[in-house]
Amino acid sequence: MKIVKNEKGFVVSVTAIIIAVILGLSILYISNSIAINVTSSANSYSTSQAKWSAVSGIEHTILRLNSGSLDYINGTYPFYNGNIIIDTTTIDPANQVMQITSTGMHSNSIRILSIRIEPVESDTAIEEGFEDDEGFDYDDGPGNPGPHVWGFTCSGEIPNGQYPTYVLQGADSCFFFGTKIKNNSSLSFAPVGTDDNQTWIFNISLAAGIDVPQEWLQQKFLPADFLSIKANGIPIEYWNGDPGKSAMHPRIGNTTMDLPTNFENFSFNLTDILGEVDSVYFVIEAMTNQWNKYIGIEGISLIGLGGWTILDGAYSEI
């Protein structure tokens, strides 16, 4: 009996096995390549996230420094699915120079940025108590002089003898005041330089009242009666009465306090209002329409709160 071998079938089976092996190796190679690329992309993304986390920490630090304070800088802060660690270290005790580091962490990636800072001393740019007529100018406004009176309590005789008896009380020193003040007249101060690394606070002591003995009648102002304060031409605050005859109300800024009959201090954060500026000048305008309506300014000051400044070239990567 003769046996016939199926050689074609054998060849087909061997070929199929070879193809399967090749496909398997190809899939394994492609899978490994994809895994490597995914890992590389993940590492690149993680490194980028760590860097931007560190940058965000530096930005947070600068914002805190702009407020003149190191409070609430140190700590660990979550940032998306990573963390930021901010730390401060004194590196020059003699000059109080500090280094602030911001560590950005994401997955296994870490990036560290740093800045160096030094303190800025507080400064007083204006301190005016109206002991004399220096340091400011008074402008009567356009046209002929009107029937208005401005005076100084420390400069001798009061013009026309119009000195308040019942209002503008409580001053600790001299003060500048007016009654029946002509519209468009102004009190202006020469520009002063300001260090833009500081937060600047403008203080002014004010009072306004009708000079009568009855307290309930001392704040009967009309809309035409006003007091306006401007810094670099920008209104800080504007007070005036209303048709119902009342105290002068604040209209523009963040002040909520009416002008009192006795002197009180008002403070304005000029840095918040104007931003960073290298000089400031003030103009004060007012108007009253009767001889017994008084507005007084006991004094003004412009004070820098000091703070911190970043040293040149201090921003770097560790």
Side-chain angles (χ1 to χ4, degrees):
M1 182 175 66
K2 184 177 180 180
I3 299 175
V4 179
K5 295 181 179 178
N6 189 350
E7 295 179 356
K8 291 182 179 181
F10 176 77
V11 172
V12 170
S13 298
V14 172
T15 303
I17 293 171
I18 293 172
I19 292 172
V21 170
I22 292 173
L23 288 174
L25 292 174
S26 298
I27 292 172
L28 181 61
Y29 173 78
I30 293 171
S31 298
N32 288 337
S33 297
I34 292 174
I36 292 172
N37 290 333
V38 168
T39 301
S40 177
S41 297
N43 289 337
S44 178
Y45 173 78
S46 181
T47 299
S48 177
Q49 284 294 96
K51 172 187 175 181
W52 289 113
S53 295
V55 170
S56 297
I58 293 295
E59 291 176 344
H60 168 78
T61 297
I62 292 173
L63 287 174
R64 296 300 307 170
L65 292 176
N66 283 338
S67 68
S69 173
L70 283 176
D71 296 337
Y72 311 113
I73 289 182
N74 284 352
T76 300
Y77 307 90
F79 186 77
Y80 289 98
N81 51 350
N83 287 309
I84 303 170
I85 300 174
I86 300 177
D87 193 19
T88 59
T89 305
T90 301
I91 59 176
D92 184 353
N95 297 308
Q96 296 182 335
V97 175
M98 300 186 69
Q99 177 175 268
I100 301 178
T101 59
S102 172
T103 303
M105 306 176 66
H106 184 275
S107 186
N108 294 323
S109 297
I110 297 176
R111 299 291 292 274
I112 304 175
L113 299 176
S114 75
I115 56 175
R116 296 194 311 276
I117 62 174
E118 64 179 358
V120 175
E121 294 184 0
S122 60
D123 190 18
T124 299
I126 297 178
E127 189 70 51
E128 179 59 64
F130 300 110
E131 291 84 1
D132 50 41
D133 57 359
E134 297 179 357
F136 57 89
D137 293 309
Y138 178 71
D139 183 2
D140 287 333
N144 296 323
H148 65 281
V149 173
W150 282 101
F152 304 85
T153 58
C154 287
S155 63
E157 183 180 352
I158 304 300
N160 295 335
Q162 300 294 325
Y163 189 87
T165 302
Y166 303 104
V167 296
L168 310 190
Q169 304 298 310
D172 295 327
S173 60
C174 311
F175 60 89
F176 181 84
F177 71 98
T179 179
K180 199 165 186 179
I181 305 164
K182 180 184 175 184
N183 194 15
N184 296 320
S185 60
S186 62
L187 180 68
S188 59
F189 298 82
V192 294
T194 54
D195 184 347
D196 56 11
N197 290 314
Q198 297 191 58
T199 296
W200 290 92
I201 304 297
F202 175 66
N203 300 298
I204 183 168
S205 181
L206 298 170
I210 300 176
D211 197 40
V212 293
Q214 301 90 345
E215 291 187 5
W216 64 280
L217 291 175
Q218 290 178 355
Q219 291 190 314
K220 298 291 185 180
F221 290 96
L222 293 169
D225 302 313
F226 75 88
L227 175 67
S228 170
I229 303 174
K230 296 179 181 179
N232 292 1
I234 298 174
I236 296 178
E237 189 53 85
Y238 178 94
W239 290 267
N240 73 329
D242 57 44
K245 295 184 178 181
S246 66
M248 286 193 187
H249 304 307
R251 308 293 186 180
I252 293 178
N254 295 324
T255 302
T256 59
M257 185 176 173
D258 295 341
L259 287 183
T261 57
N262 296 341
F263 285 107
E264 294 286 347
N265 191 64
F266 294 79
S267 295
F268 303 88
N269 188 321
L270 283 191
T271 304
D272 287 346
I273 298 171
L274 303 180
E276 294 183 355
V277 292
D278 55 13
S279 66
V280 178
Y281 66 93
F282 296 98
V283 175
I284 300 173
E285 298 177 350
M287 177 181 174
T288 58
N289 66 347
Q290 292 180 0
W291 286 106
N292 63 348
K293 289 183 178 180
Y294 285 84
I295 294 177
I297 307 168
E298 182 186 2
I300 73 167
S301 64
L302 180 63
I303 300 174
L305 298 184
W308 300 85
T309 185
I310 299 174
L311 296 174
D312 292 338
Y315 183 51
S316 62
E317 184 173 1
I318 297 178

